[in-house]
Amino acid sequence: MSNGAMPLPTDSDRTEAPRHVAIIMDGNGRWAAARGLPRAEGHRRGVEALRKVVRAAGELGISYLTIFSFSSENWTRPASEIGDLFALLRRFIRNDLATLHSDGVRVRVIGERGGLESDITAMLTEAEELTRNNNRFTLVVAFNYGSRQEIAHAAQRLAQEVAAGKRDAASIDADTLGNYLDAPDVPDPDLIIRTSGEQRLSNFLMWQAAYSELVFVPIHWPDFDKAALEGAIKEYATRERRFGGLVAKTGS
Ligand code: IPE
Ligand code: IPE
Ligand code: MG
């Protein structure tokens, strides 16, 4: 509780870990600037934080962790920074894939693959293929991802099916469209965390976030750790989820 008040009384359900946590890992640049370091160093330290947070999420009983690692709009950054971010992704997969696999982590990737360099596409596919039978924990990497683009792509595929006479337009409802998103079998996030104080979604999981609880933390991503994750989960546990109804539900 941020105001220092006594915690609200909770029933036993409310201490349940969220099943799916999604994180907007923001503030690498500000972390670096505050220390007189280049932005690239902030991104490098951000990957270190990520490594620890993936482990912590498993320890805290979370089943799915989605991380926003590169947005469709991040292409507007200087080419040198984009190069740094892609180099870190390459290094992360090269160095960490084997460990993730032996830890029972399934890696999924959402976002646009077309237009990426072929070695990156190959690495993303390799990560998914190698880990596809793991079921202890799922790490969803949102890379070259934008929610509007994801929804537009789903609409395009549905429109093609209608044009081909395979589908009746009137039969398309929210569930149908949801099934055409990038990872339709992954449950919606229960909790979305954004670091670094910004309070916006920045084109992240806008469809899936319909009933997610949002927690904004002031610390920059490289400083985010297990204790910070536990803090966000505690905040989540105080929320009443009603899903449009009258009776509060907790957990997933
Ligand atoms: C998050 O940190 C990493 C990416 C968006 C890829 P930023 O690079 O956005 O850091 P700030 O927001 O400039 O501090
Ligand atoms: C969102 O952060 C994207 C990622 C964390 C990958 P940004 O730093 O790009 O978002 P804005 O520009 O502040 O909204
Ligand atoms: Mg940012």
Side-chain angles (χ1 to χ4, degrees):
M1 312 248 331
S2 52
N3 61 5
M6 288 291 287
L8 292 169
T10 57
D11 58 47
S12 57
D13 277 354
R14 310 192 89 196
T15 57
E16 253 176 46
R19 186 174 176 208
H20 181 179
V21 175
I23 307 184
I24 303 172
M25 308 183 293
D26 198 16
N28 293 349
R30 279 164 280 173
W31 182 93
R35 288 159 181 79
L37 297 168
R39 290 179 61 85
E41 182 59 15
H43 294 313
R44 198 185 65 73
R45 292 291 295 265
V47 175
E48 286 180 13
L50 170 63
R51 217 170 259 137
K52 291 182 198 150
V53 168
V54 172
R55 189 168 293 268
E59 289 164 1
L60 293 171
I62 292 161
S63 300
Y64 297 85
L65 178 70
T66 298
I67 49 148
F68 202 5
S69 60
F70 190 84
S71 80
S72 307
E73 289 73 34
N74 287 149
W75 289 106
T76 59
R77 296 189 180 197
S80 61
E81 176 156 348
I82 294 170
D84 292 337
L85 290 165
F86 277 64
L88 280 169
L89 176 78
R90 285 185 175 92
R91 211 170 307 147
F92 178 67
I93 296 178
R94 219 175 283 130
N95 293 344
D96 289 63
L97 182 58
T99 309
L100 291 169
H101 182 43
S102 63
D103 286 348
V105 176
R106 179 170 180 191
V107 179
R108 305 280 300 265
V109 183
I110 58 172
E112 202 57 63
R113 307 280 175 103
L116 294 176
E117 288 170 79
S118 58
D119 73 306
I120 291 261
T121 319
M123 286 174 114
L124 297 176
T125 305
E126 185 202 339
E128 288 185 307
E129 290 297 322
L130 177 71
T131 63
R132 72 175 321 123
N133 295 319
N134 294 344
N135 51 22
R136 197 185 65 75
F137 182 85
T138 300
L139 175 66
V140 183
V141 181
F143 187 77
N144 196 20
Y145 175 85
S147 193
R148 287 179 169 176
Q149 290 81 348
E150 181 188 34
I151 294 166
H153 187 233
Q156 195 182 82
R157 286 170 57 205
L158 283 165
Q160 282 162 352
E161 290 187 7
V162 171
K166 291 184 194 154
R167 183 182 283 283
D168 176 8
S171 75
I172 297 172
D173 60 13
D175 284 343
T176 321
L177 198 136
N179 281 326
Y180 279 71
L181 298 177
D182 290 355
D185 52 311
V186 171
D188 288 344
D190 302 293
L191 167 62
I192 297 180
I193 300 167
R194 182 168 186 149
T195 58
S196 218
E198 309 299 345
Q199 302 192 4
R200 55 179 172 259
L201 287 175
S202 301
N203 204 13
F204 184 53
L205 301 182
M206 296 190 299
W207 177 279
Q208 299 87 337
Y211 277 101
S212 303
E213 296 298 328
L214 309 180
V215 170
F216 301 103
V217 297
I219 61 176
H220 299 312
W221 174 249
D223 288 332
F224 194 86
D225 58 10
K226 185 175 185 180
L229 180 59
E230 283 176 301
I233 291 170
K234 277 208 183 86
E235 168 71 34
Y236 165 83
T238 68
R239 305 280 179 87
E240 265 190 9
R241 304 186 75 188
R242 288 191 289 272
F243 299 96
L246 298 178
V247 182
K249 287 189 196 163
T250 55
S252 45

